[in-house]
Amino acid sequence: MELGVLYSGGKDSTLAALLLEEFYDVTLVTAHFGISDDWKHARETADAIGFAFDRLELDPAVAHDAVAQIRADGFPRNGIQQIHQHALERLARQEFDAIADGTRRDDRVPTVSRAQAQSLEDRHDVDYIAPLSGFGRTAVDRVVEDRLEVIAGPSEEITRADYEAELRALIADEDGHAAIRELFPEHDQTYVTGVHRG
Amino acid sequence: MELGVLYSGGKDSTLAALLLEEFYDVTLVTAHFGISDDWKHARETADAIGFAFDRLELDPAVAHDAVAQIRADGFPRNGIQQIHQHALERLARQEFDAIADGTRRDDRVPTVSRAQAQSLEDRHDVDYIAPLSGFGRTAVDRVVEDRLEVIAGPSEEITRADYEAELRALIADEDGHAAIRELFPEHDQTYVTGVHRG
C-alpha cells in the first residue's frame, strides 16, 4: 500500500514515517507555497534517511490568508492550523492509499479531530493515519533519542521545511523582519540528519 | 526500552505490538481475574507470533463490580471500561518503561482520554502509548488483512483472552447462561493465529 507522509524534516514527521515503514510503501511529501526553497532541506533529509520524496504545491492564496489571520490574532496558531488542513486536503487528492502526518497527542497545533479525520477519509476515499497521536511528549522524546540524529536550535536558525519558514519569509517581505519576532514566539525546532534503524 | 502491551490475542492488541516492536523490547501482557483459563489462548498466540508473554492478575473485586455495573446498565460498555482502566493502572505499576494497549480512534469502548493518559504517566512515571489511536477502522482492517492470520466468528465461539470471556463466565455462573445473551450483544471477534512480518 502506498502512503504519503506530510513531511517537514523535523523529528515528528520523521518518526511518523519510521513507525509506518514496515506496513506501507512510504513517500515523504513536503508541502510548500513556492515562496522559498526551504522544501529542499526536507529532500536532503529524505535522501539521507532513505525514503522516497515528493513535493506538493499548495495554493499561495492560503499562505496569504494565513498571514492575515496571524496578523489579526497576533500569534501563529490559527494560521498554521489552516495551512495544515489545506495541505492534508491536497495530499488526500494524490494517488496514495493512505496519508499521514506527525501530529502528536500533546500538540496544540496543528490538530486533526476525529471528525475531521473521518471527513477527510470519506470525501477522498483514503485512510488518514496519525501514528503519533497516541504518543505523549516523553514517549516521543525517548524514541527520538534512541533512533534519530537531530540538530536542535532556535526556530530562526534551523533550516527545515515546515510552513513556518515560508510564512516568516512572507511576513518579512511584507512587514519587515521585526514583525516576525512579534508574531512568532521563539521556540526550539529540530531538523533530522539521520536515523538508526533497529 | 521495555514495553508491556495489554494483550487479548485479538487483532488490535496484536497490531499495536507489531507497530512498536521496532522501537521497544515488547512483552505481551494478558490481564485476567483467575476466573477462567482463557489467558492461555493469548499465551499460545504470543508464542506463535514470537513475543515474550506475561500475565497480570487483576483484583477479582473489580470483576464483580463490573458485572454489577453491566447488570444495572443492561449493556457491557461501562463495565468493560472500568476493567480496562484498572488493568492499565496495574500494568503501569510493573517494571516497564512504557505501556501500551490496542485502543483505536473509532473505538467506543475502551477509551483512554488525553487527560487519563497524562494522569497515568504522571502518577506512575511511565509512558502510555496507544499506537492505534491514530488509525481509523479501514486503515486497521487493511493492515490486518496484509499482516495477520486471524480467525473471526461470533464472540461466544472465539476463544480469546479479553475481559469479556471472564465476565461472561461470571455472569453465567451467577445468573445462568441466558443472561449472557441479554447483556452482551452478539458481535464478531477475532483471534490471531499468525503474523507476516515485512
Side-chain angles (χ1 to χ4, degrees):
Chain A
M1 292 180 286
E2 296 285 336
L3 176 131
V5 178
L6 207 52
Y7 190 67
S8 71
K11 63 184 181 180
D12 293 339
S13 52
T14 301
L15 191 53
L18 288 178
L19 274 161
L20 297 174
E21 72 175 338
E22 295 289 320
F23 303 90
Y24 295 91
D25 295 321
V26 173
T27 300
L28 305 181
V29 181
T30 296
H32 72 114
F33 293 106
I35 294 168
S36 74
D37 281 341
D38 284 309
W39 64 268
K40 290 182 180 171
H41 300 302
R43 186 177 62 185
E44 282 167 31
T45 299
D47 288 347
I49 65 180
F51 279 102
F53 177 83
D54 206 351
R55 59 184 166 134
L56 179 68
E57 289 208 25
L58 301 181
D59 180 354
V62 173
H64 289 278
D65 287 351
V67 165
Q69 179 80 47
I70 290 168
R71 267 198 210 104
D73 289 340
F75 54 81
R77 197 166 73 222
N78 297 322
I80 298 278
Q81 177 70 22
Q82 286 170 10
I83 295 175
H84 192 73
Q85 285 174 214
H86 172 64
L88 283 178
E89 291 289 334
R90 283 284 168 97
L91 184 59
R93 286 188 219 157
Q94 309 300 305
E95 296 295 310
F96 292 112
D97 304 302
I99 63 172
D101 64 18
T103 55
R104 303 186 302 178
R105 187 185 82 198
D106 300 333
D107 277 349
R108 293 180 63 207
V109 61
T111 61
V112 180
S113 72
R114 181 175 149 171
Q116 285 171 326
Q118 191 68 59
S119 166
L120 195 65
E121 293 182 331
D122 291 345
R123 286 180 295 108
H124 298 287
D125 191 26
V126 70
D127 290 334
Y128 163 72
I129 303 169
L132 296 189
S133 69
F135 285 70
R137 189 176 312 273
T138 62
V140 169
D141 287 348
R142 285 171 186 157
V143 176
V144 165
E145 171 83 21
D146 261 16
R147 293 305 167 94
L148 304 187
E149 290 168 21
V150 302
I151 298 173
S155 41
E156 284 189 69
E157 291 168 19
I158 293 296
T159 51
R160 48 181 255 180
D162 60 356
Y163 323 116
E164 206 178 304
E166 284 189 295
L167 293 183
R168 284 165 179 275
L170 207 57
I171 288 170
D173 195 45
E174 295 179 4
D175 305 333
H177 204 76
I180 296 176
R181 287 212 183 80
E182 267 173 48
L183 295 174
F184 289 90
E186 195 49 62
H187 58 283
D188 272 10
Q189 295 275 32
T190 57
Y191 177 67
V192 173
T193 57
V195 304
H196 309 284
R197 284 182 171 85
Chain B
M1 291 180 288
E2 296 285 336
L3 176 130
V5 178
L6 207 52
Y7 190 66
S8 71
K11 63 184 182 180
D12 294 339
S13 52
T14 300
L15 190 53
L18 288 178
L19 274 162
L20 296 175
E21 72 175 337
E22 295 290 319
F23 303 90
Y24 295 90
D25 296 320
V26 172
T27 300
L28 306 181
V29 181
T30 296
H32 71 116
F33 293 106
I35 295 168
S36 75
D37 281 341
D38 284 310
W39 64 269
K40 290 182 179 171
H41 301 301
R43 187 177 61 186
E44 282 167 29
T45 300
D47 288 347
I49 66 180
F51 280 102
F53 177 83
D54 206 352
R55 58 185 167 133
L56 179 67
E57 289 208 26
L58 301 182
D59 180 353
V62 173
H64 289 278
D65 287 351
V67 165
Q69 178 79 49
I70 290 168
R71 266 198 211 105
D73 289 340
F75 53 83
R77 197 165 74 222
N78 298 322
I80 298 276
Q81 177 70 23
Q82 286 171 9
I83 294 175
H84 192 73
Q85 285 174 213
H86 172 63
L88 284 177
E89 292 289 334
R90 282 284 169 97
L91 184 58
R93 286 188 219 158
Q94 309 301 305
E95 296 295 311
F96 292 112
D97 304 302
I99 61 172
D101 63 19
T103 56
R104 304 186 303 177
R105 189 184 81 197
D106 301 332
D107 276 349
R108 292 180 64 208
V109 62
T111 62
V112 180
S113 71
R114 182 175 148 172
Q116 285 171 326
Q118 190 68 60
S119 166
L120 196 64
E121 292 182 331
D122 292 345
R123 286 180 294 109
H124 297 287
D125 190 26
V126 71
D127 291 333
Y128 164 71
I129 303 169
L132 295 190
S133 70
F135 286 69
R137 190 175 311 274
T138 62
V140 169
D141 287 348
R142 284 171 185 157
V143 176
V144 165
E145 171 82 22
D146 262 16
R147 294 306 167 95
L148 304 187
E149 288 168 22
V150 301
I151 297 172
S155 41
E156 284 189 69
E157 292 169 17
I158 293 297
T159 50
R160 47 182 257 181
D162 59 356
Y163 323 118
E164 207 179 302
E166 283 189 296
L167 293 183
R168 284 166 178 274
L170 206 56
I171 288 170
D173 196 44
E174 295 179 5
D175 304 333
H177 205 74
I180 297 177
R181 288 212 183 81
E182 268 174 48
L183 295 173
F184 289 90
E186 196 47 63
H187 59 284
D188 271 10
Q189 295 276 33
T190 59
Y191 176 67
V192 173
T193 57
V195 304
H196 309 284
R197 287 182 169 85

